[in-house]
């Protein structure tokens, strides 16, 4: 299961968490499995990947990962040039036919090294930068990249699984997931084993010494990071004694635990997630504080009047909003105008392939930072309170990911803008001293307000209407928080609203789920903009 840093994260280069950050992670996992520098990279793209890969930077991200770059490496933007400089042959094959057996964001990555090593990796980007590799060299596996993973290629023989797990047990490894696939009895087989702790440096060598083992590859977590500075004494709220024996499949257990303890939701989430992630609360708090710092760093460059997206379709709107705000003429006034400006700034920076925090996705990355930073800068909330509010927001996102989806390619923009607005509504409600029950009501009302919102990126870019939807998402979040704080009930509980979101998303045709084929993307102006941005008949580039 994902954790709070997967929802408030990853820190990445824009513009899309699923199509850029997730794609980079798939490429990086493939590079790790190859175990060498690739000399050739051949990628087959399926579904939404095939239809929008140029506009989302999926091609650059996949190649960046294959070259060993992480999702937040600024060189990702120029990875195709970098591959040429290194003499790496790169090719793409598009397969945009609907395949019911594949996630819509799927790629087959085939790498070869100069030494003759080869690997073929089939994987999907499942939303918010999270990935799932399902096949390696045709063999079924299960790799998420969230945990340290061992891939053991071996001959199928009795007792070998026990021998491998004995080696891991002797090294103190705690296995949290195991999968086995084989071609036939006595034939080639592959184990994929996820563990929750550090491994001895020679663990792969010891496993490879076992009779029947051909190769053991250890994959480090693709999103692993350390805090820039530890939390100071007294900075982290006390969480001792809080209930942590619940899972975030639904929000209600966390709400009840917080209500019973008389603390905000964020406190029980910090305690529960620190335990689940095998960290101290102070260590986890410091990592989340770093996320807030990156969010804060996005506003100034995103407000630059000269900023333009890669296509030129967006940029400069945050500066325009700032000018109106400075002139003292805002229609909304107060916190709303400032939050809209910040949302535009962060989202425009993302569209320009800047460094942002997916929250929970890159396409919706402006909503949560804008609301939380506006509460800090315009309502005087402390940095510590803002960091803790991100834990409450993350809890909302974790439930949506578990019970529905955070991927626009699966559930439409309700899964991105809708999820982000719900997260922001809960965070703002907590910052305004709302109760845990009011936080849940605010989140539910935000989902209800954006239920059925389609994902229809013009020219397949995370620009139009995405940037302005971030601004309207902020407005929804603040309005729903205001209603909840006034004691207005959501009527439909949050967990039921999330179930409805999942069902509505399943009813959406693929043309309205991040393919750039329906909605605003299919208007005459939308098609003309696609022609202007890329040439040809559509954004996918299949004609060229």
């Amino acid at each position: 299961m994902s954790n709070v840093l997967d929802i408030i994260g990853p820190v990445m280069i824009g513009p899309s968490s699923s199509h850029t950050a997730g794609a980079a992670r798939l490429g990086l996992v493939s590079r790790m499995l190859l175990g060498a520098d690739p000399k050739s990279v051949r990628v087959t793209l399926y579904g939404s990947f095939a239809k929008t890969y140029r506009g989302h930077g999926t091609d650059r991200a996949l190649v960046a990962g294959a070259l060993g770059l992480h999702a937040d490496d600024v060189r990702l933007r120029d990875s195709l040039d970098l591959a040429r400089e290194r003499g790496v042959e790169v090719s793409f094959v598009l397969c945009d036919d609907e395949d019911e057996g594949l996630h819509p964001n799927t790629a087959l990555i085939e790498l070869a090294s100069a030494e003759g090593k080869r690997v073929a990796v089939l994987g999907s980007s499942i939303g918010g930068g999270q990935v799932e590799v399902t096949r390696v060299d045709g063999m079924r596996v299960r790799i998420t990249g969230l945990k340290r993973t061992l891939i053991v290629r071996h001959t199928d023989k009795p007792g070998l699984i026990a021998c491998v797990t004995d080696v891991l047990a002797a090294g103190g490894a705690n296995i949290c997931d195991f999968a086995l696939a084989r071609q036939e009895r006595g034939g080639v087989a592959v184990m994929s084993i996820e563990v929750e702790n550090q491994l001895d440096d020679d663990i792969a060598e010891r496993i490879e010494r076992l009779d029947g083992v051909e190769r053991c590859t250890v994959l480090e977590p693709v999103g692993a990071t350390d805090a820039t500075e530890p939390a100071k004494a007294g900075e982290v709220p006390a969480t001792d004694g809080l209930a942590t024996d619940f899972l975030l499949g639904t929000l209600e257990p966390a709400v009840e635990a917080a209500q019973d303890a008389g603390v905000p939701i964020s406190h029980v989430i910090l305690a529960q997630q620190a335990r689940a992630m095998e960290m101290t609360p102070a260590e986890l708090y410091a990592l989340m504080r770093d996320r807030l710092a990156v969010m804060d760093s996005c506003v100034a460059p995103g407000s630059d009047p000269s900023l333009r997206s890669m296509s030129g379709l967006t940029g400069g709107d945050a500066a325009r909003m700032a000018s109106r705000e400075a002139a003292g003429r805002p229609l909304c006034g107060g916190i709303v105008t400032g939050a809209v400006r910040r949302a535009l700034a962060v989202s425009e920076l993302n569209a320009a392939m800047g460094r942002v925090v997916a929250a929970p996705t890159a396409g919706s990355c402006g909503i949560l930072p804008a609301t939380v930073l506006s509460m800090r800068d315009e309502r005087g909330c402390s940095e510590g309170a803002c960091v803790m509010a991100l834990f409450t927001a993350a809890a909302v996102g974790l439930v949506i990911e578990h019970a529905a989806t955070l991927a626009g390619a699966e559930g439409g923009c309700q899964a991105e803008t809708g999820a982000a607005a719900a997260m922001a509504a809960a965070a703002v409600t907590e910052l305004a001293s709302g109760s845990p029950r009011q936080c849940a009501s605010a989140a539910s009302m935000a989902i209800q307000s954006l239920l059925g919102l389609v994902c229809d990126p013009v020219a397949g870019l995370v620009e139009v209407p995405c940037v302005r939807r971030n601004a309207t998402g902020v407005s929804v979040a603040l309005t729903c928080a205001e209603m909840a704080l006034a004691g207005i009930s959501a009527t439909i509980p949050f967990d039921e609203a999330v179930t409805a979101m999942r069902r509505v998303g399943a009813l959406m045709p693929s043309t309205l789920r991040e393919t750039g084929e329906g909605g605003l993307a299919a208007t005459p102006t939308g098609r003309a903009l696609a022609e202007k941005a890329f040439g040809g008949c559509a954004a996918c580039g299949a004609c060229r």
Side-chain angles (χ1 to χ4, degrees), residues 93-169:
V93 177
L94 307 184
C95 185
D96 56 8
D97 295 333
E98 290 295 316
D99 188 328
E100 296 299 325
L102 293 177
H103 187 281
N105 299 334
T106 295
L108 173 63
I109 306 165
E110 298 171 273
L111 306 182
S113 73
E115 299 79 20
K117 291 184 178 181
R118 293 183 177 276
V119 70
V121 177
L122 183 70
S124 304
S125 180
I126 58 177
Q130 304 309 305
V131 301
E132 184 175 50
V133 172
T134 53
R135 289 188 181 273
V136 174
D137 295 333
M139 303 291 290
R140 189 173 296 279
V141 298
R142 186 165 58 238
I143 304 171
T144 64
L146 298 176
K147 305 282 188 182
R148 195 165 284 102
T149 305
L150 294 93
I151 304 299
V152 184
R153 186 180 177 93
H154 61 98
T155 301
D156 178 48
K157 57 184 295 185
L160 187 54
I161 292 175
C163 291
V164 171
T165 55
D166 282 348
V167 173
L168 290 171

Side-chain angles (χ1 to χ4, degrees), residues 31 69 162 262 365 494:
R31 164 67 180 75
L69 307 184
C365 68
F494 172 80

Side-chain angles (χ1 to χ4, degrees), residues 396 400 418-419 422 442-452 480 494 497-498 501:
V396 170
I400 295 173
S444 179
M445 285 189 278
I447 289 176
Q448 294 174 40
S449 300
L450 295 167
L451 194 67
C480 292
F494 172 80
V498 174
M501 173 194 282

Side-chain angles (χ1 to χ4, degrees), residues 252-300:
E252 186 59 24
V255 172
E256 289 183 353
Q259 290 276 128
D260 291 345
V263 298
I265 291 176
S266 59
H267 289 216
V268 297
I269 298 304
L270 174 59
Q272 189 263 0
Q273 285 287 288
R275 177 184 175 186
M277 297 169 67
E278 298 185 328
M279 294 181 177
T280 66
E283 289 170 337
L284 182 53
Y285 175 95
L287 289 168
M288 189 64 83
R289 185 191 56 202
D290 285 352
R291 296 286 203 266
L292 180 65
V294 176
M295 291 176 175
D296 197 11
S297 71
C298 294
V299 177

Side-chain angles (χ1 to χ4, degrees), residues 338-479:
V340 167
R341 168 176 55 80
R342 292 178 179 90
L344 289 170
V346 177
S347 190
E348 287 184 322
L349 183 66
N350 176 66
M353 295 192 80
R355 187 170 181 262
V356 299
V357 181
T361 67
S364 60
C365 68
I367 298 171
L368 181 61
T371 51
V372 171
L373 293 172
S374 294
M375 289 294 286
R376 183 196 67 183
D377 295 346
E378 300 185 31
R379 291 301 174 92
C381 292
S382 69
E383 179 183 277
C386 291
V387 173
M388 291 303 295
L390 295 183
F391 283 97
T392 295
V396 170
L398 278 168
V399 172
I400 295 173
E401 181 191 53
H402 176 80
T405 181
L406 296 175
E410 280 191 289
C413 197
Q414 61 170 2
E416 299 201 26
T417 297
M423 292 163 61
V428 169
T429 302
E430 180 170 305
L431 285 169
S433 302
S435 70
R437 187 67 60 194
Q438 287 174 325
C439 291
S441 286
S444 179
M445 285 189 278
I447 289 176
Q448 294 174 40
S449 300
L450 295 167
L451 194 67
L453 184 63
V454 303
C455 185
D456 50 350
V458 170
L461 297 160
V462 190
E463 300 184 27
V464 179
C466 316
V467 169
R468 285 144 208 161
R469 279 186 183 161
N470 275 258
T472 55
V474 161
S475 304
V476 168
L478 291 170
T479 300

